[in-house]
Amino acid sequence: MNTRLSKIVFLILIICLSLMTPPPDGLSKEAWILASIYLAAIIGLVSKPYPEPVIIIAALAASCIAITHFSGSTIKPLDVLNGYSSGTTWLVFSAFTLSAAFVSTGLGKRLAYWFIYQFGGTTLGLGYVTVLLDLILSPATPSNTARGGGIVFPIINSIALALNSTPKESPCKAGRYLMVNIYMVTKTTSYMFLTAFAGNALALQLISDVFHIHISWTGWALAGAPLGLIMLSVIPYITYKVTKPELKKINNKEIALKGLNEIGAMNRREKGLIAIFILALLGWIFSRQLGLNECSVAIIAMASALLFNVICWDDVLKSKGGWNTLIWYGGIIGLSGVLSKAGFFSWLAKFLSENISHMHFGSNVIIFIVFLSIVIRYLFASGGAYVAAMVPVFATLGLVTGADPIILSLAILFSNSYGGCITHYGGAAGPIIFAAGYNDIKSWWLTGTIVALFTFITHIVVGFPWWEYLKANGLL
């Protein structure tokens, strides 16, 4: 309680300091106070004296009071709630419904056991089974915690136990390799699609406030998926070499048939989910031709899943991740929006321009910013908190140093996910998997560092030219 109390006092102190000190030159008092509330909210998301939605609701309330106090302000108290009318917020929330359906219908398990039957004859093969399963689920699973920790992990963990690889007696037999591989894979698929990680849509919205650009679902997939496929082709092998499982061959047919027999025949709900999932993907891919945006497609998919009883409303209510995301992502977007309207980001750009104007190095500045983002990502246990705290800063830094906005945006958007590979706390799925007890910190961090650096180099060497090509041909 004392620790929690000290965190709360610190957050209040941040806001009080802005009330007692004059704003910097060129920044209004209103923007100064709103910035302190935003900063307190970000630190609250990291230190977690309360759950994320509580922190954000408190910040929204404080912002309303601050805006009301400045009677001559062009910003209205209700402006802080604009994030809840944002398509970004509802895109993510709607996609959470499809994510929950993969669990409730059992389709996620069925896909896993089918892949195991087809490709899981070796321990290395099981690593690639994880790739195939995660890759298929990722476009409609914005919670990589639900995907990696809720669907893939329980299945792979049960397989490790079936292979007599236990956390205490024989972790190195197969479990250590299989567990760390889950995490590295899910952090890679997370940047391949806009809807593969809830933080992607938030990051894109925050970058749009700075650069005023739009990247479609299809454009994101064209930019991220090829690079992700390159990494997914080698990640199981990298983790295999670092963790070196003792068991090489597996009786995959017996394990898979047992799992499929327990699930039983495919039911109507699973078939309906397959149809809705495919139609949602086609809707996102051809949204421009259909005259729809990504948010509209997601809401149509959500409505279809509910109307055709693929998933019931009670299942949606039980999806805490979806509701938590709706509250705090919408709030963050609202807080960021009023900051932009108050002129904070314009002031920040001017301030950075005056102090680091010597950093005009073309594409080299992008490499520096992305590398810095990966290093700083090491400090964050929440991808969402990192996005809210650092993405606007890195985008503004790129703006004033003359970096190409599209290339920098894509580089930053993707680095959040793979930067979290380094530690076992870089995303919520990490602690779930690590808590199984198979892994040691040394091998996990070594694997994560290799994967993160290899991804970083791949994105520079292959990604930069590829993104230039997409930009030049209007494919983003």
Side-chain angles (χ1 to χ4, degrees):
M1 184 62 190
N2 288 336
T3 302
R4 180 185 180 189
L5 181 60
S6 65
K7 293 175 182 177
I8 295 171
V9 170
F10 182 69
L11 299 181
I12 295 174
L13 181 62
I14 292 173
I15 300 173
C16 289
L17 285 173
S18 71
L19 294 170
M20 295 184 294
T21 58
D25 292 338
L27 192 66
S28 69
K29 185 68 175 180
E30 178 187 34
W32 180 235
I33 295 172
L34 289 173
S36 72
I37 295 172
Y38 187 86
L39 176 61
I42 298 305
I43 295 175
L45 292 176
V46 175
S47 60
K48 297 182 179 178
Y50 295 105
E52 288 96 336
V54 177
I55 293 291
I56 295 303
I57 289 173
L60 292 173
S63 297
C64 286
I65 295 171
I67 293 169
T68 303
H69 178 74
F70 293 91
S71 56
S73 171
T74 57
I75 305 172
K76 305 301 179 185
L78 285 179
D79 288 345
V80 299
L81 301 179
N82 284 344
Y84 296 109
S85 64
S86 168
T88 298
T89 304
W90 289 97
L91 168 67
V92 174
F93 180 72
S94 300
F96 262 99
T97 303
L98 293 181
S99 172
F102 274 101
V103 178
S104 64
T105 63
L107 182 59
K109 281 188 176 182
R110 186 179 302 280
L111 288 171
Y113 284 121
W114 187 84
F115 283 133
I116 290 166
Y117 184 87
Q118 297 293 334
F119 309 109
T122 63
T123 311
L124 180 60
L126 281 178
Y128 284 97
V129 165
T130 300
V131 168
L132 292 171
L133 179 59
D134 204 306
L135 183 59
I136 285 180
L137 297 176
S138 58
T141 315
S143 171
N144 50 25
T145 306
R147 186 169 72 248
I151 299 176
V152 181
F153 165 70
I155 297 168
I156 300 299
N157 186 44
S158 65
I159 291 172
L161 294 173
L163 297 174
N164 295 317
S165 179
T166 58
K168 292 185 178 180
E169 286 79 18
S170 52
C172 295
K173 190 173 184 180
R176 179 167 294 177
Y177 161 67
L178 294 174
M179 295 303 113
V180 73
N181 186 67
I182 295 172
Y183 185 70
M184 300 304 156
V185 167
T186 202
K187 297 304 285 184
T188 300
T189 56
S190 291
Y191 68 76
M192 293 175 66
F193 305 98
L194 175 61
T195 45
F197 169 50
N200 290 344
L202 174 62
L204 182 57
Q205 179 67 46
L206 296 176
I207 281 180
S208 297
D209 289 340
V210 178
F211 286 129
H212 305 291
I213 60 172
H214 174 72
I215 298 174
S216 66
W217 191 95
T218 305
W220 185 301
L222 286 173
L227 302 175
L229 289 173
I230 292 173
M231 290 308 304
L232 290 176
S233 68
V234 297
I235 283 175
Y237 184 76
I238 292 172
T239 55
Y240 188 85
K241 286 297 183 181
V242 175
T243 54
K244 294 179 181 177
E246 297 168 357
L247 186 65
K248 308 300 180 185
K249 298 287 185 178
I250 294 171
N251 188 354
N252 60 309
K253 306 293 184 182
E254 180 181 340
I255 293 172
L257 289 174
K258 181 181 177 182
L260 289 170
N261 289 333
E262 290 176 355
I263 298 172
M266 182 176 287
N267 57 43
R268 181 191 61 81
R269 293 174 66 208
E270 290 179 83
K271 294 176 182 177
L273 178 57
I274 292 173
I276 291 171
F277 176 60
I278 292 173
L279 289 174
L281 287 181
L282 292 174
W284 283 322
I285 293 170
F286 299 107
S287 58
R288 289 181 181 176
Q289 291 84 343
L290 295 171
L292 298 170
N293 58 34
E294 291 85 355
C295 172
S296 301
V297 173
I299 291 178
I300 292 169
M302 177 181 178
S304 301
L306 289 167
L307 291 172
F308 291 102
N309 203 32
V310 170
I311 188 172
C312 65
W313 184 246
D314 284 341
D315 292 326
V316 178
L317 292 177
K318 293 173 185 175
S319 179
K320 294 182 180 179
W323 291 105
N324 283 340
T325 301
L326 174 68
I327 295 298
W328 85 266
Y329 273 40
I332 279 289
I333 291 173
L335 292 172
S336 174
V338 295
L339 266 184
S340 180
K341 198 170 183 179
F344 175 78
F345 291 119
S346 298
W347 171 85
L348 180 62
K350 182 179 179 182
F351 174 81
L352 291 175
S353 180
E354 291 172 350
N355 287 276
I356 55 173
S357 58
H358 61 282
M359 290 182 60
H360 288 271
F361 300 131
S363 62
N364 289 335
V365 76
I366 300 180
I367 296 173
F368 168 75
I369 292 173
V370 176
F371 182 77
L372 182 62
S373 75
I374 296 171
V375 173
I376 292 178
R377 183 67 177 83
Y378 168 86
L379 303 174
F380 285 83
S382 167
Y386 166 84
V387 166
M390 301 309 304
V391 165
V393 176
F394 288 134
T396 305
L397 180 61
L399 178 67
V400 302
T401 52
D404 184 296
I406 293 292
I407 305 302
L408 176 64
S409 296
L410 291 170
I412 293 175
L413 291 168
F414 299 162
S415 70
N416 168 48
S417 292
Y418 71 79
C421 289
I422 299 174
T423 66
H424 59 293
Y425 55 78
I432 295 173
I433 299 168
F434 194 82
Y438 287 98
N439 298 95
D440 62 294
I441 292 177
K442 181 180 178 180
S443 64
W444 186 297
W445 284 32
L446 177 60
T447 304
T449 300
I450 294 171
V451 170
L453 289 177
F454 192 10
T455 307
F456 173 63
I457 294 170
T458 300
H459 282 214
I460 293 171
V461 175
V462 180
F464 283 16
W466 174 238
W467 300 337
E468 288 283 3
Y469 171 80
L470 293 177
K471 184 182 71 170
N473 288 274
L475 296 174
L476 293 173

